[in-house]
Amino acid sequence: DTAVSQTPKYLVTQMGNDKSIKCEQNLGHDTMYWYKQDSKKFLKIMFSYNNKELIINETVPNRFSPKSPDKAHLNLHINSLELGDSAVYFCASRGRRETQYFGPGTRLLVL
Amino acid sequence: AQTVTQSQPEMSVQEAETVTLSCTYDTSESNYYLFWYKQPPSRQMILVIRQEAYKQQNATENRFSVNFQKAAKSFSLKISDSQLGDTAMYFCAFMKHRTGNQFYFGTGTSLTVIP
């Protein structure tokens, strides 16, 4: 059973396109996150939702819009993709004792 | 703001040997959690070990143990009997207890286990 799943795992697209990444967790956690991992492997938080409510919104271009239809899902929509958006995007949920459970990541390549 | 520093970008160790990865952090909080995560080439983020700041005893998980020095704000990871499967990027991370709700990651240490 996959605890935190993301689709798609790979996404190759042209500059200017709009794309979405979906995330689902079956752990019953209330809090979910989106992280961006750049080419130097640095992990930075983008957003966090607690029970469908946005609680963390880091300095991220407003082309990025998270949506949480329910507490088990947190999707990321990106408008007008740019070359600098190329990265690996991780979804995570927060469990007991503040432990983060990560999805497998989505590698986004913008051409 | 909290910061997490990993001063060793790359390390290597012979198979079956022991290696220690360093991590320091900066915070004014007294109650928090510290973590080590492993990211192998598959890129999956895997929890290695966790430490609560209020616990004086160092956490251990099989071959993995930490040396937690709260006063020095240091949280190093020791890997004993290194195995080829330990080759990965290792990230130290910090989270405040209850409030804040935000994970802060270090820049990572790339560990290679040499056969």
Side-chain angles (χ1 to χ4, degrees), chain A residues 23-61:
Chain A
C23 177
E24 177 181 2
Q25 53 98 1
N26 62 6
L27 298 166
H29 295 159
D30 288 337
T31 306
M32 296 181 71
Y33 304 80
W34 277 109
Y35 289 89
K36 179 180 180 181
Q37 186 174 43
D38 62 25
S39 57
K40 295 182 180 176
K41 303 286 189 181
F42 184 63
L43 270 158
K44 192 169 188 308
I45 191 167
M46 300 174 69
F47 302 103
S48 176
Y49 270 74
N50 182 269
N51 217 351
K52 301 194 293 176
E53 182 184 344
L54 180 65
I55 53 173
I56 293 176
N57 186 354
E58 287 295 295
T59 308
V60 175

Side-chain angles (χ1 to χ4, degrees), chain B residues 72-110:
Chain B
K73 296 180 183 173
S74 168
F75 182 60
S76 60
L77 174 70
K78 185 170 88 170
I79 306 174
S80 305
D81 185 26
S82 297
Q83 300 175 1
L84 296 178
D86 296 333
T87 292
M89 196 79 168
Y90 286 81
F91 292 95
C92 179
F94 168 99
M95 188 171 202
K96 290 188 284 187
H97 180 60
R98 295 190 185 275
T99 61
N101 202 27
Q102 185 166 341
F103 242 50
Y104 296 89
F105 282 94
T107 49
T109 296
S110 178

Side-chain angles (χ1 to χ4, degrees), chain A residues 52-94:
Chain A
K52 301 194 293 176
E53 182 184 344
L54 180 65
I55 53 173
I56 293 176
N57 186 354
E58 287 295 295
T59 308
V60 175
N62 56 15
R63 298 181 295 103
F64 290 79
S65 53
K67 284 189 171 52
S68 182
D70 55 62
K71 74 174 192 178
H73 295 85
L74 180 61
N75 304 323
L76 183 65
H77 188 76
I78 316 169
N79 288 327
S80 303
L81 277 155
E82 299 177 358
L83 294 177
D85 298 333
S86 295
V88 180
Y89 292 84
F90 284 97
C91 177
S93 68
R94 185 180 68 162

Side-chain angles (χ1 to χ4, degrees), chain B residues 23-73:
Chain B
C23 173
T24 58
Y25 57 95
D26 185 25
T27 184
S28 56
E29 301 289 324
S30 59
N31 204 3
Y32 47 86
Y33 291 87
L34 294 162
F35 304 83
W36 279 98
Y37 278 86
K38 164 184 176 181
Q39 187 179 37
S42 66
R43 82 165 179 257
Q44 177 71 53
M45 292 287 288
I46 302 163
L47 176 68
V48 175
I49 201 163
R50 168 183 50 221
Q51 173 83 43
E52 289 94 332
Y54 64 86
K55 288 188 178 177
Q56 292 186 341
Q57 187 171 9
N58 289 325
T60 61
E61 287 287 342
N62 301 314
R63 298 181 295 107
F64 299 88
S65 62
V66 298
N67 183 0
F68 173 47
Q69 302 288 328
K70 191 171 184 180
K73 296 180 183 173

